[in-house]
Amino acid sequence: MRQKPIAVLTIAVTALLQVQIALPAQAATVCNRYCDARDPGLSPGDRVATSTTLYGRSFKVHVNDTDAMIWATVENGQAGDQVWLDRSFDGGRTWSGDSRLGDTTVPAGSGSARTAMFNVDNWASRGVGVLRACGKAGDRPELTCTGWTRSNWNAWDRRTAAATALMMRFDQGTGLFDTNGWWTGANALTALIDNSRISGMHSYDYAIAATYDKNINARQGQFRNEYLDDTGWWALAWVAAYDRTGDSRYLNTARAGADHMFSYWDTRCGGGIYWRTDRTVKNAVANSLYIQLNAALSLRIGGDSVYRGRAQAGWTWFQSTGMLNSSNLVNDGLNLSTCRNNGDVTWTYNQGVLINALVQLNRLTGDANALTVARRVADAATTSTYLNTNGILREPNEPNQCSGDGVSFKGAFIRGLGVLNAAVGRAYDGYLRRQADSAYARSRTSFDAYGSHWAGPYVSTNHSCQHSVLDLLNAAP
């Protein structure tokens, strides 16, 4: 796996037990169906989502799912105890402007108290929120906080909840996820668009235009840069955006990406495109993306022969290289000295992108062999003990935190497998369901953020880990 020089966002881990109180910034009142500070007695429902205890006191988060509001209580306490809410619009990473909401003290003669209700999301500013209850015993300095949680608004099932957790990481200032996720951001946007199509939830469709408008002139323009695979990921994201919206500017940008990639096809080793514009590496992922993109474009452009020809030439060349090995798994790339398989790692995304490419080629040309090879790769990848530990997909050298390129790879694999699964009568439903059930049970927070290990335990999250699971949930039955 070749790491690209992308800055990694460091996620601060905040202890639940704290020993001092910082004076918060004044929170702005949020108004959705109702405004902040509504009486909990008016809630049509009361779902206790999470709780914690401290010195015998019980602090609870109560959810009004109908109105997407939350309040907190302290029970089994005494006069002077305090309870409040913190609200975060970035998945619990920061909450400085929305801390100590509804700060309430247990009155004399009582052992309990409750805050007012506060909105989970800020629909006016597209803020996607989570809240937690915090509190302290009146006679002690320590604080305790529950886990973060939210209502089931835009989170009524596994898929939509994962999409909503992903949107907590969308930076509206940059139009990217986690501030600077470039090619991984393309995958996150693709997963989000796929989720909108599958679930029917349109709440986050605004991210399509926001990403496009803020980044169309970045790098080399039209979402092109010196990495040809990055260009391919973005071009495929814009194909998905075109399908979702019908906006021709997205299809035009996808075509610009495909043409940029084609300009780096040459006859060295008989053909193929390079990984970078410095023309030093030819590898599997860039060429699989090239086939997939050109086939996808030809399917959408009436009377096309150019992109069709490029897709077919790409696959003819790929077959000649030996990058698809005798075990029916795709190695990383070519040794340019020998023009043969370099024997490097069989990363999961190399399997998934080729699978996806071959399904698109089959749709375009009717080439039955393309679908046959796609199934061979899928069968090999889903049964490989190297790629699956005890039946659960695990990336080679999978890290214990969500960082680097590799934590996006499983998403691309599963996306390709899901496309094949739909094309061949749901043959991989059992495998996909097993992955989804494991991730949901073992690698998930209380608000459906997911970590890198689908077999567990949960260790951390970022947009790459999150989109990978969203891809999984989009594909799973």
Side-chain angles (χ1 to χ4, degrees):
M1 175 177 58
R2 297 173 175 85
Q3 295 284 350
K4 298 175 184 143
I6 298 175
V8 177
L9 178 69
T10 300
I11 302 172
V13 180
T14 305
L16 294 183
L17 190 63
Q18 305 175 40
V19 295
Q20 60 183 2
I21 302 173
L23 293 176
Q26 182 64 42
T29 299
V30 174
C31 294
N32 294 322
R33 177 176 292 171
Y34 301 106
C35 290
D36 283 344
R38 184 170 170 82
D39 181 0
L42 299 174
S43 174
D46 178 1
R47 174 171 63 88
V48 177
T50 186
S51 63
T52 188
T53 59
L54 181 66
Y55 297 120
R57 283 82 166 164
S58 179
F59 299 88
K60 297 179 179 179
V61 175
H62 300 257
V63 182
N64 168 1
D65 285 308
T66 301
D67 303 319
M69 302 185 82
I70 282 177
W71 74 96
T73 59
V74 55
E75 301 170 5
N76 302 319
Q78 61 187 35
D81 292 348
Q82 290 178 269
V83 63
W84 63 87
L85 291 163
D86 291 335
R87 178 169 57 196
S88 172
F89 292 109
D90 59 9
R93 287 171 286 168
T94 63
W95 56 94
S96 60
D98 283 277
S99 59
R100 298 181 69 84
L101 300 175
D103 193 352
T104 301
T105 301
V106 176
S110 179
S112 64
R114 70 184 184 188
T115 69
M117 287 193 294
F118 289 82
N119 284 291
V120 177
D121 303 309
N122 187 344
W123 300 334
S125 65
R126 294 172 172 167
V128 183
V130 286
L131 287 92
R132 66 181 183 181
C134 295
K136 65 182 293 294
D139 58 351
R140 294 179 182 268
E142 294 88 357
L143 313 182
T144 189
C145 293
T146 67
W148 296 96
T149 194
R150 60 171 287 111
S151 68
N152 61 17
W153 186 271
N154 288 340
W156 63 81
D157 61 10
R158 293 182 184 185
R159 290 188 183 109
T160 53
T164 290
L166 177 60
M167 283 304 295
M168 294 176 195
R169 312 195 76 87
F170 185 71
D171 187 319
Q172 296 189 59
T174 65
L176 296 170
F177 291 86
D178 287 344
T179 303
N180 57 3
W182 187 244
W183 77 270
T184 54
N187 278 270
L189 184 64
T190 301
L192 194 71
I193 294 170
D194 284 349
N195 180 263
S196 176
R197 172 180 54 82
I198 293 164
S199 71
M201 181 173 69
H202 298 280
S203 300
Y204 307 128
D205 287 357
Y206 68 82
I208 300 171
T211 301
Y212 190 90
D213 292 341
K214 289 183 179 295
N215 294 283
I216 185 62
N217 295 317
R219 311 292 172 106
Q220 297 177 18
Q222 294 288 323
F223 293 86
R224 298 168 299 186
N225 71 340
E226 70 273 23
Y227 292 97
L228 280 307
D229 57 338
D230 290 13
T231 300
W233 292 120
W234 275 115
L236 286 166
W238 299 124
V239 170
Y242 170 74
D243 289 348
R244 193 77 188 116
T245 66
D247 190 332
S248 61
R249 65 179 181 159
Y250 300 139
L251 189 64
N252 290 336
T253 291
R255 293 183 70 168
D259 294 344
H260 177 63
M261 296 173 80
F262 174 69
S263 69
Y264 289 91
W265 174 288
D266 66 16
T267 59
R268 188 175 184 184
C269 293
I273 67 166
Y274 290 91
W275 178 56
R276 283 177 53 112
T277 57
D278 62 5
R279 299 177 183 262
T280 58
V281 174
K282 288 189 175 182
N283 67 356
V285 68
N287 283 280
S288 294
L289 288 166
Y290 178 80
I291 299 165
Q292 182 185 343
L293 174 59
N294 281 284
L297 286 172
S298 189
L299 285 164
R300 289 160 177 81
I301 299 171
D304 167 72
S305 60
V306 172
Y307 295 109
R308 178 189 179 101
R310 291 178 185 174
Q312 290 176 304
W315 174 227
T316 297
W317 174 80
F318 197 106
Q319 293 179 88
S320 73
T321 64
M323 284 189 291
L324 180 55
N325 66 35
S326 59
S327 298
N328 290 310
L329 292 175
V330 183
N331 291 101
D332 184 66
L334 288 183
N335 180 327
L336 289 183
S337 297
T338 64
C339 293
R340 302 303 297 168
N341 188 331
N342 64 11
D344 209 338
V345 180
T346 53
W347 306 110
T348 61
Y349 78 156
N350 283 329
Q351 322 312 313
V353 182
L354 183 62
I355 289 168
N356 209 332
L358 294 177
V359 173
Q360 305 312 315
L361 194 62
N362 171 261
R363 289 175 178 170
L364 176 64
T365 67
D367 180 357
N369 182 63
L371 205 59
T372 298
V373 175
R375 291 207 65 168
R376 287 177 188 158
V377 176
D379 291 346
T382 55
T383 58
S384 165
T385 56
Y386 177 65
L387 297 178
N388 298 270
T389 303
N390 297 321
I392 303 301
L393 189 67
R394 183 181 177 91
E395 191 66 42
N397 304 323
E398 186 169 278
N400 285 326
Q401 67 278 334
C402 289
S403 63
D405 289 341
V407 291
S408 273
F409 289 3
K410 289 191 295 189
F413 168 69
I414 288 291
R415 193 183 314 139
L417 184 65
V419 168
L420 176 64
N421 191 46
V424 296
R426 313 296 303 186
Y428 300 95
D429 270 359
Y431 178 85
L432 291 166
R433 185 181 294 111
R434 182 167 70 248
Q435 310 307 310
D437 288 347
S438 180
Y440 186 82
R442 301 170 183 169
S443 188
R444 179 179 62 98
T445 72
S446 56
F447 59 92
D448 292 271
Y450 288 82
S452 57
H453 302 318
W454 294 358
Y458 173 83
V459 286
S460 71
T461 192
N462 72 356
H463 74 279
S464 299
C465 285
Q466 191 68 21
H467 90 67
S468 291
V469 170
L470 184 56
D471 280 311
L472 170 60
L473 298 176
N474 287 339

PDB file of all heavy atoms in Angstrom, residues 1-24:
ATOM      1  N   MET A   1       0.844  -1.193   0.000  1.00  0.00           N
ATOM      2  CA  MET A   1       0.000   0.000   0.000  1.00  0.00           C
ATOM      3  C   MET A   1       0.874   1.235   0.000  1.00  0.00           C
ATOM      4  O   MET A   1       1.679   1.426   0.902  1.00  0.00           O
ATOM      5  CB  MET A   1      -0.891   0.003   1.247  1.00  0.00           C
ATOM      6  CG  MET A   1      -1.735   1.262   1.408  1.00  0.00           C
ATOM      7  SD  MET A   1      -2.817   1.164   2.855  1.00  0.00           S
ATOM      8  CE  MET A   1      -1.626   0.901   4.164  1.00  0.00           C
ATOM      9  N   ARG A   2       0.694   2.089  -1.006  1.00  0.00           N
ATOM     10  CA  ARG A   2       1.496   3.305  -1.089  1.00  0.00           C
ATOM     11  C   ARG A   2       0.768   4.435  -0.385  1.00  0.00           C
ATOM     12  O   ARG A   2      -0.300   4.842  -0.806  1.00  0.00           O
ATOM     13  CB  ARG A   2       1.766   3.638  -2.552  1.00  0.00           C
ATOM     14  CG  ARG A   2       2.582   2.574  -3.261  1.00  0.00           C
ATOM     15  CD  ARG A   2       2.675   2.861  -4.739  1.00  0.00           C
ATOM     16  NE  ARG A   2       3.550   1.894  -5.397  1.00  0.00           N
ATOM     17  CZ  ARG A   2       3.125   0.719  -5.823  1.00  0.00           C
ATOM     18  NH1 ARG A   2       1.868   0.382  -5.673  1.00  0.00           N
ATOM     19  NH2 ARG A   2       3.956  -0.126  -6.417  1.00  0.00           N
ATOM     20  N   GLN A   3       1.354   4.941   0.688  1.00  0.00           N
ATOM     21  CA  GLN A   3       0.722   6.006   1.447  1.00  0.00           C
ATOM     22  C   GLN A   3       0.923   7.338   0.747  1.00  0.00           C
ATOM     23  O   GLN A   3       2.002   7.657   0.290  1.00  0.00           O
ATOM     24  CB  GLN A   3       1.321   6.076   2.862  1.00  0.00           C
ATOM     25  CG  GLN A   3       1.038   4.852   3.705  1.00  0.00           C
ATOM     26  CD  GLN A   3      -0.382   4.818   4.231  1.00  0.00           C
ATOM     27  OE1 GLN A   3      -1.105   5.801   4.125  1.00  0.00           O
ATOM     28  NE2 GLN A   3      -0.786   3.698   4.799  1.00  0.00           N
ATOM     29  N   LYS A   4      -0.136   8.095   0.667  1.00  0.00           N
ATOM     30  CA  LYS A   4      -0.060   9.412   0.073  1.00  0.00           C
ATOM     31  C   LYS A   4       0.070  10.453   1.173  1.00  0.00           C
ATOM     32  O   LYS A   4      -0.424  10.267   2.282  1.00  0.00           O
ATOM     33  CB  LYS A   4      -1.315   9.676  -0.758  1.00  0.00           C
ATOM     34  CG  LYS A   4      -1.451   8.686  -1.905  1.00  0.00           C
ATOM     35  CD  LYS A   4      -2.741   8.886  -2.643  1.00  0.00           C
ATOM     36  CE  LYS A   4      -2.867   7.805  -3.719  1.00  0.00           C
ATOM     37  NZ  LYS A   4      -4.208   7.342  -3.891  1.00  0.00           N
ATOM     38  N   PRO A   5       0.706  11.565   0.888  1.00  0.00           N
ATOM     39  CA  PRO A   5       0.968  12.566   1.930  1.00  0.00           C
ATOM     40  C   PRO A   5      -0.255  13.396   2.268  1.00  0.00           C
ATOM     41  O   PRO A   5      -0.353  14.571   1.959  1.00  0.00           O
ATOM     42  CB  PRO A   5       2.060  13.432   1.293  1.00  0.00           C
ATOM     43  CG  PRO A   5       1.803  13.328  -0.171  1.00  0.00           C
ATOM     44  CD  PRO A   5       1.332  11.924  -0.396  1.00  0.00           C
ATOM     45  N   ILE A   6      -1.241  12.740   2.900  1.00  0.00           N
ATOM     46  CA  ILE A   6      -2.449  13.425   3.323  1.00  0.00           C
ATOM     47  C   ILE A   6      -2.393  13.597   4.829  1.00  0.00           C
ATOM     48  O   ILE A   6      -2.157  12.659   5.574  1.00  0.00           O
ATOM     49  CB  ILE A   6      -3.703  12.605   2.943  1.00  0.00           C
ATOM     50  CG1 ILE A   6      -3.777  12.464   1.416  1.00  0.00           C
ATOM     51  CG2 ILE A   6      -4.965  13.249   3.479  1.00  0.00           C
ATOM     52  CD1 ILE A   6      -4.897  11.581   0.953  1.00  0.00           C
ATOM     53  N   ALA A   7      -2.643  14.796   5.279  1.00  0.00           N
ATOM     54  CA  ALA A   7      -2.622  15.062   6.715  1.00  0.00           C
ATOM     55  C   ALA A   7      -3.733  14.273   7.380  1.00  0.00           C
ATOM     56  O   ALA A   7      -4.802  14.075   6.831  1.00  0.00           O
ATOM     57  CB  ALA A   7      -2.812  16.551   6.980  1.00  0.00           C
ATOM     58  N   VAL A   8      -3.496  13.803   8.575  1.00  0.00           N
ATOM     59  CA  VAL A   8      -4.466  13.008   9.309  1.00  0.00           C
ATOM     60  C   VAL A   8      -4.991  13.816  10.478  1.00  0.00           C
ATOM     61  O   VAL A   8      -4.227  14.389  11.250  1.00  0.00           O
ATOM     62  CB  VAL A   8      -3.823  11.695   9.832  1.00  0.00           C
ATOM     63  CG1 VAL A   8      -4.818  10.921  10.659  1.00  0.00           C
ATOM     64  CG2 VAL A   8      -3.328  10.867   8.669  1.00  0.00           C
ATOM     65  N   LEU A   9      -6.295  13.863  10.586  1.00  0.00           N
ATOM     66  CA  LEU A   9      -6.904  14.575  11.688  1.00  0.00           C
ATOM     67  C   LEU A   9      -6.716  13.785  12.974  1.00  0.00           C
ATOM     68  O   LEU A   9      -6.995  12.596  13.035  1.00  0.00           O
ATOM     69  CB  LEU A   9      -8.406  14.751  11.408  1.00  0.00           C
ATOM     70  CG  LEU A   9      -9.221  15.436  12.493  1.00  0.00           C
ATOM     71  CD1 LEU A   9      -8.810  16.909  12.562  1.00  0.00           C
ATOM     72  CD2 LEU A   9     -10.711  15.332  12.193  1.00  0.00           C
ATOM     73  N   THR A  10      -6.212  14.426  13.989  1.00  0.00           N
ATOM     74  CA  THR A  10      -6.044  13.802  15.288  1.00  0.00           C
ATOM     75  C   THR A  10      -7.307  14.000  16.103  1.00  0.00           C
ATOM     76  O   THR A  10      -7.775  15.119  16.261  1.00  0.00           O
ATOM     77  CB  THR A  10      -4.864  14.420  16.044  1.00  0.00           C
ATOM     78  OG1 THR A  10      -3.688  14.231  15.263  1.00  0.00           O
ATOM     79  CG2 THR A  10      -4.690  13.752  17.395  1.00  0.00           C
ATOM     80  N   ILE A  11      -7.859  12.908  16.573  1.00  0.00           N
ATOM     81  CA  ILE A  11      -9.099  12.961  17.328  1.00  0.00           C
ATOM     82  C   ILE A  11      -8.775  12.948  18.815  1.00  0.00           C
ATOM     83  O   ILE A  11      -8.159  12.027  19.330  1.00  0.00           O
ATOM     84  CB  ILE A  11      -9.997  11.761  16.975  1.00  0.00           C
ATOM     85  CG1 ILE A  11     -10.271  11.767  15.459  1.00  0.00           C
ATOM     86  CG2 ILE A  11     -11.278  11.788  17.773  1.00  0.00           C
ATOM     87  CD1 ILE A  11     -10.981  10.527  14.992  1.00  0.00           C
ATOM     88  N   ALA A  12      -9.191  13.987  19.497  1.00  0.00           N
ATOM     89  CA  ALA A  12      -8.936  14.073  20.932  1.00  0.00           C
ATOM     90  C   ALA A  12      -9.887  13.151  21.666  1.00  0.00           C
ATOM     91  O   ALA A  12     -11.088  13.138  21.420  1.00  0.00           O
ATOM     92  CB  ALA A  12      -9.134  15.511  21.403  1.00  0.00           C
ATOM     93  N   VAL A  13      -9.354  12.365  22.554  1.00  0.00           N
ATOM     94  CA  VAL A  13     -10.161  11.465  23.354  1.00  0.00           C
ATOM     95  C   VAL A  13     -10.404  12.114  24.711  1.00  0.00           C
ATOM     96  O   VAL A  13      -9.470  12.390  25.452  1.00  0.00           O
ATOM     97  CB  VAL A  13      -9.453  10.103  23.540  1.00  0.00           C
ATOM     98  CG1 VAL A  13     -10.309   9.182  24.380  1.00  0.00           C
ATOM     99  CG2 VAL A  13      -9.172   9.484  22.181  1.00  0.00           C
ATOM    100  N   THR A  14     -11.651  12.384  25.006  1.00  0.00           N
ATOM    101  CA  THR A  14     -12.000  13.093  26.226  1.00  0.00           C
ATOM    102  C   THR A  14     -12.454  12.115  27.285  1.00  0.00           C
ATOM    103  O   THR A  14     -13.353  11.325  27.046  1.00  0.00           O
ATOM    104  CB  THR A  14     -13.125  14.107  25.940  1.00  0.00           C
ATOM    105  OG1 THR A  14     -12.699  14.956  24.883  1.00  0.00           O
ATOM    106  CG2 THR A  14     -13.451  14.924  27.168  1.00  0.00           C
ATOM    107  N   ALA A  15     -11.849  12.154  28.434  1.00  0.00           N
ATOM    108  CA  ALA A  15     -12.215  11.258  29.521  1.00  0.00           C
ATOM    109  C   ALA A  15     -13.607  11.594  30.021  1.00  0.00           C
ATOM    110  O   ALA A  15     -13.998  12.750  30.085  1.00  0.00           O
ATOM    111  CB  ALA A  15     -11.214  11.390  30.669  1.00  0.00           C
ATOM    112  N   LEU A  16     -14.340  10.566  30.411  1.00  0.00           N
ATOM    113  CA  LEU A  16     -15.666  10.802  30.953  1.00  0.00           C
ATOM    114  C   LEU A  16     -15.604  11.362  32.374  1.00  0.00           C
ATOM    115  O   LEU A  16     -16.512  12.034  32.835  1.00  0.00           O
ATOM    116  CB  LEU A  16     -16.467   9.495  30.941  1.00  0.00           C
ATOM    117  CG  LEU A  16     -16.783   8.947  29.553  1.00  0.00           C
ATOM    118  CD1 LEU A  16     -17.642   7.697  29.667  1.00  0.00           C
ATOM    119  CD2 LEU A  16     -17.485   9.990  28.718  1.00  0.00           C
ATOM    120  N   LEU A  17     -14.551  11.032  33.085  1.00  0.00           N
ATOM    121  CA  LEU A  17     -14.407  11.540  34.433  1.00  0.00           C
ATOM    122  C   LEU A  17     -13.442  12.708  34.405  1.00  0.00           C
ATOM    123  O   LEU A  17     -12.278  12.548  34.068  1.00  0.00           O
ATOM    124  CB  LEU A  17     -13.877  10.437  35.361  1.00  0.00           C
ATOM    125  CG  LEU A  17     -13.904  10.766  36.862  1.00  0.00           C
ATOM    126  CD1 LEU A  17     -15.329  10.970  37.332  1.00  0.00           C
ATOM    127  CD2 LEU A  17     -13.245   9.667  37.659  1.00  0.00           C
ATOM    128  N   GLN A  18     -13.925  13.897  34.730  1.00  0.00           N
ATOM    129  CA  GLN A  18     -13.121  15.099  34.680  1.00  0.00           C
ATOM    130  C   GLN A  18     -13.045  15.707  36.075  1.00  0.00           C
ATOM    131  O   GLN A  18     -13.846  15.407  36.944  1.00  0.00           O
ATOM    132  CB  GLN A  18     -13.744  16.097  33.695  1.00  0.00           C
ATOM    133  CG  GLN A  18     -13.950  15.487  32.313  1.00  0.00           C
ATOM    134  CD  GLN A  18     -14.682  16.457  31.397  1.00  0.00           C
ATOM    135  OE1 GLN A  18     -14.437  17.647  31.408  1.00  0.00           O
ATOM    136  NE2 GLN A  18     -15.585  15.926  30.593  1.00  0.00           N
ATOM    137  N   VAL A  19     -12.097  16.597  36.272  1.00  0.00           N
ATOM    138  CA  VAL A  19     -11.889  17.121  37.621  1.00  0.00           C
ATOM    139  C   VAL A  19     -12.040  18.618  37.698  1.00  0.00           C
ATOM    140  O   VAL A  19     -11.843  19.197  38.760  1.00  0.00           O
ATOM    141  CB  VAL A  19     -10.481  16.729  38.129  1.00  0.00           C
ATOM    142  CG1 VAL A  19     -10.372  15.239  38.287  1.00  0.00           C
ATOM    143  CG2 VAL A  19      -9.394  17.252  37.201  1.00  0.00           C
ATOM    144  N   GLN A  20     -12.413  19.279  36.591  1.00  0.00           N
ATOM    145  CA  GLN A  20     -12.628  20.700  36.668  1.00  0.00           C
ATOM    146  C   GLN A  20     -13.646  21.118  35.618  1.00  0.00           C
ATOM    147  O   GLN A  20     -13.921  20.416  34.672  1.00  0.00           O
ATOM    148  CB  GLN A  20     -11.315  21.463  36.446  1.00  0.00           C
ATOM    149  CG  GLN A  20     -10.662  21.215  35.110  1.00  0.00           C
ATOM    150  CD  GLN A  20      -9.338  21.954  34.992  1.00  0.00           C
ATOM    151  OE1 GLN A  20      -8.906  22.615  35.913  1.00  0.00           O
ATOM    152  NE2 GLN A  20      -8.712  21.835  33.835  1.00  0.00           N
ATOM    153  N   ILE A  21     -14.237  22.279  35.800  1.00  0.00           N
ATOM    154  CA  ILE A  21     -15.260  22.797  34.919  1.00  0.00           C
ATOM    155  C   ILE A  21     -14.719  24.021  34.217  1.00  0.00           C
ATOM    156  O   ILE A  21     -14.267  24.967  34.846  1.00  0.00           O
ATOM    157  CB  ILE A  21     -16.539  23.173  35.700  1.00  0.00           C
ATOM    158  CG1 ILE A  21     -17.085  21.955  36.467  1.00  0.00           C
ATOM    159  CG2 ILE A  21     -17.596  23.735  34.766  1.00  0.00           C
ATOM    160  CD1 ILE A  21     -18.225  22.287  37.386  1.00  0.00           C
ATOM    161  N   ALA A  22     -14.742  24.005  32.865  1.00  0.00           N
ATOM    162  CA  ALA A  22     -14.352  25.187  32.101  1.00  0.00           C
ATOM    163  C   ALA A  22     -15.587  26.031  31.836  1.00  0.00           C
ATOM    164  O   ALA A  22     -16.672  25.520  31.606  1.00  0.00           O
ATOM    165  CB  ALA A  22     -13.715  24.770  30.783  1.00  0.00           C
ATOM    166  N   LEU A  23     -15.445  27.338  31.907  1.00  0.00           N
ATOM    167  CA  LEU A  23     -16.555  28.218  31.609  1.00  0.00           C
ATOM    168  C   LEU A  23     -16.855  28.155  30.114  1.00  0.00           C
ATOM    169  O   LEU A  23     -15.997  28.425  29.290  1.00  0.00           O
ATOM    170  CB  LEU A  23     -16.219  29.650  32.019  1.00  0.00           C
ATOM    171  CG  LEU A  23     -16.067  29.881  33.526  1.00  0.00           C
ATOM    172  CD1 LEU A  23     -15.635  31.315  33.788  1.00  0.00           C
ATOM    173  CD2 LEU A  23     -17.366  29.560  34.252  1.00  0.00           C
ATOM    174  N   PRO A  24     -18.080  27.777  29.714  1.00  0.00           N
ATOM    175  CA  PRO A  24     -18.378  27.581  28.301  1.00  0.00           C
ATOM    176  C   PRO A  24     -18.702  28.882  27.595  1.00  0.00           C
ATOM    177  O   PRO A  24     -19.083  29.874  28.207  1.00  0.00           O
ATOM    178  CB  PRO A  24     -19.618  26.680  28.348  1.00  0.00           C
ATOM    179  CG  PRO A  24     -20.334  27.116  29.605  1.00  0.00           C
ATOM    180  CD  PRO A  24     -19.228  27.451  30.590  1.00  0.00           C
TER     181      PRO A  24
END
